[in-house]
């Protein structure tokens, strides 16, 4: 057996062991359930990455998102004809502008009650599969479609009545999601097979990691999902207008963050190089993430490069790294490309912590919000371990 494959397998176990090391209640961990979920996730990765039917499903979903992106370009091209379908499209136009179609599309599905039904059905199925509390399973699916802060806002009524222990689990889970509106963006920047495989793996790994870090027993009478209050819908075109404006703001926010974070990173590098010509932010982050990167079954040179990208992603965001590696992807080995791209598909970074805690501050009591803020380091640990687990599991099948 390939030595790096053996290390990759050890890595999956090591990440679980690392979660156990920092568990808040080691005695309450349900190892049988954890084992079943790990096996299921390995099977799911094999099915989606190797098995012909799974690969076909992934390819068809990718075709659907590519069709959506091409459809979006018809609108973008009308406004910016010189920017679309050119040899080197700028990232803002190739990856971000289509958000103006995708976000309103998902909002329309929500408006007519289609998306909530899908979320409830998948949440119910996930609860039955994992044996975990209904709301936690529902919330994991909700985050996949809506994103972390949106899912928190939608579930605010139930969150207000939950114990501090369960709220902490929800805060840990909130670090590991992406929203469906971002899938089209990601597939324009990195290979779609890794994006579409990482998303379901992240959901299961979120449950695995949080069940180890913060195992909580939920009494049967508390294992319920509150019915959401039905609010009067605004007129459709007023709703659609608000959705489009929200999508536009999102593009501006992401663009501003890209420009600012990349410029700040360059500034930090210039300051560091005053003291040593070889010293950069990437080299520091790469050194810190190197042990984790080696456990993904990478040779030392590739492990260091991957560690630099992983560290940069945690400090900035996934878009910064995706934009950086887009022109370089074909120079990476298949295994490095698989584990790195899979790792990038999540909102896990330091800025997400602020967004999540800010959202909780507006929902729960001050005392509960303060308790959550004390677990900031556990939040980043949870999100990082989920991303590492997904990367390691995908890496098992790509060499």
């Amino acid at each position: 057996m390939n030595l790096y494959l053996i290390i990759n397998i050890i890595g999956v176990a090591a990440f679980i062991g690392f979660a156990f090391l920092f568990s808040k209640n080691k005695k309450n961990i349900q190892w049988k359930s954890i084992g079943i979920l790990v096996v299921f996730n390995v099977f799911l990765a094999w099915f989606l990455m190797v098995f012909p039917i799974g690969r076909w499903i992934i390819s068809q979903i990718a075709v659907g998102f590519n069709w959506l992106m091409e459809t979006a370009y018809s609108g973008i091209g009308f406004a910016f004809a010189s920017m679309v379908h050119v040899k080197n499209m700028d990232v803002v136009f190739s990856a971000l502008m289509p958000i103006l179609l995708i976000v309103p599309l998902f909002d329309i599905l929500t408006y007519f009650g289609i998306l909530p039904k899908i979320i409830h059905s998948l949440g119910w199925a996930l609860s039955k599969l994992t044996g975990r509390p209904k709301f936690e399973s529902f919330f994991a699916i909700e985050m996949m479609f809506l994103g972390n802060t949106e899912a928190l806002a939608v579930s605010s009524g139930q969150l207000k009545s939950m114990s501090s222990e369960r709220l902490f689990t929800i805060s840990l889970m909130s670090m590991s999601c992406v929203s469906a509106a971002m899938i089209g963006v990601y597939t324009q920047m990195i290979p779609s097979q890794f994006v579409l495989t990482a998303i379901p793996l992240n959901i299961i790994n979120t449950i695995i990691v949080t069940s180890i870090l913060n195992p909580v027993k939920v009494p049967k009478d508390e294992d319920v999902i509150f019915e959401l209050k039905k609010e009067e819908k605004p007129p459709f075109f007023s709703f659609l207008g608000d959705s489009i404006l929200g999508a536009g703001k999102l593009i501006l926010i992401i663009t501003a963050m890209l420009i600012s974070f990349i410029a700040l990173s360059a500034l930090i590098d210039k300051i560091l190089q005053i003291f040593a010509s070889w010293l950069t932010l990437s080299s520091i982050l790469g050194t810190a993430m190197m042990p984790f990167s080696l456990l993904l079954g990478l040779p030392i040179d590739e492990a260091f490069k991957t560690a630099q990208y992983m560290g940069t992603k945690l400090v900035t965001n996934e878009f910064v790294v995706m934009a950086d590696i887009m022109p370089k992807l074909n120079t990476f080995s298949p295994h490095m490309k698989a584990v790195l791209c899979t790792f990038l598909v999540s909102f896990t970074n330091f800025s997400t912590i602020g967004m999540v805690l800010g959202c909780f501050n507006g929902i729960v009591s001050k005392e509960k919000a303060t308790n959550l803020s004390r677990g900031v380091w556990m939040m980043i640990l949870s999100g990082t371990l989920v991303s590492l687990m997904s990367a390691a599991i995908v890496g098992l099948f790509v060499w």
Side-chain angles (χ1 to χ4, degrees), residues 131-313:
R132 307 310 299 157
K134 293 185 180 68
F135 178 77
E136 281 78 347
S137 301
F138 166 79
F139 186 76
I141 299 296
E142 199 171 43
M143 284 194 305
M144 181 179 73
F145 285 98
L146 305 179
N148 43 25
T149 54
E150 293 86 349
L152 290 170
V154 168
S155 302
S156 59
Q158 182 150 2
L159 293 172
K160 290 176 183 177
S161 66
M162 290 175 67
S163 67
S164 295
E165 290 77 15
R166 288 184 75 185
L167 286 175
F168 187 58
T169 296
I170 299 301
S171 73
L172 297 181
M173 294 177 72
S174 298
M175 296 298 297
S176 306
C177 73
V178 299
S179 64
M182 292 294 104
I183 296 174
V185 178
Y186 291 157
T187 56
Q188 297 303 297
M189 303 179 83
I190 59 176
S192 57
Q193 67 182 122
F194 302 126
V195 175
L196 297 170
T197 302
I199 290 168
L201 292 187
N202 282 350
I203 292 174
I204 303 298
N205 282 328
T206 295
I207 295 173
I208 292 171
V209 170
T210 56
S211 296
I212 297 173
L213 287 175
N214 189 48
V216 178
K217 288 186 178 180
V218 180
K220 276 193 174 182
D221 59 327
E222 294 181 16
D223 189 15
V224 294
I225 298 175
F226 289 3
E227 287 293 326
L228 299 177
K229 291 182 180 179
K230 293 185 178 180
E231 298 179 356
E232 187 177 344
K233 293 180 181 178
F236 176 73
F237 286 103
S238 173
F239 170 84
L240 183 59
D242 289 341
S243 175
I244 293 169
L245 288 175
K249 290 176 183 176
L250 181 60
I251 293 171
L252 290 174
I253 290 168
I254 295 173
T255 302
M257 289 177 70
L258 273 173
I259 294 170
S260 182
F261 276 126
I262 291 173
L264 284 170
S265 296
L267 175 61
I268 293 169
D269 283 349
K270 289 181 183 296
I271 294 172
L272 290 173
Q273 286 168 357
I274 294 173
F275 303 97
S277 60
W278 53 267
L279 193 59
T280 63
L281 181 61
S282 292
S283 65
I284 294 171
L285 296 172
T287 302
M289 293 297 294
M290 186 69 172
F292 302 101
S293 188
L294 285 170
L295 286 169
L296 294 173
L298 293 163
I300 291 177
D301 58 333
E302 291 187 352
F304 187 68
K305 289 179 185 176
T306 302
Q308 290 178 316
Y309 290 128
M310 292 195 300
T312 301
K313 188 254 184 184

Side-chain angles (χ1 to χ4, degrees), residues 30-40 208:
Q30 299 179 25
W31 287 112
K32 182 179 178 181
S33 173
I34 299 297
I36 291 170
L37 291 176
V38 171
V39 171
F40 175 78
I208 292 171

Side-chain angles (χ1 to χ4, degrees), residues 44-114:
L44 184 61
W46 169 81
F47 179 76
L48 296 176
M49 297 296 301
V50 179
F51 194 64
I53 294 175
R55 290 174 63 89
W56 180 82
I57 291 171
I58 289 292
S59 68
Q60 294 307 300
I61 296 174
V63 166
F65 274 103
N66 287 336
W67 176 80
L68 269 180
M69 300 299 278
E70 286 298 322
T71 305
Y73 291 148
S74 63
I76 300 165
F78 178 80
F80 301 99
S82 62
M83 301 292 185
V84 178
H85 299 307
V86 295
K87 187 174 182 181
N88 293 308
M89 283 179 67
D90 294 330
V91 172
V92 171
F93 290 94
S94 65
L96 298 185
M97 282 293 190
I99 288 175
L100 288 168
L101 171 64
I102 296 173
V103 168
L105 174 62
F106 278 95
D107 283 345
I108 290 169
L109 293 175
T110 301
Y111 184 87
F112 289 108
I114 298 170

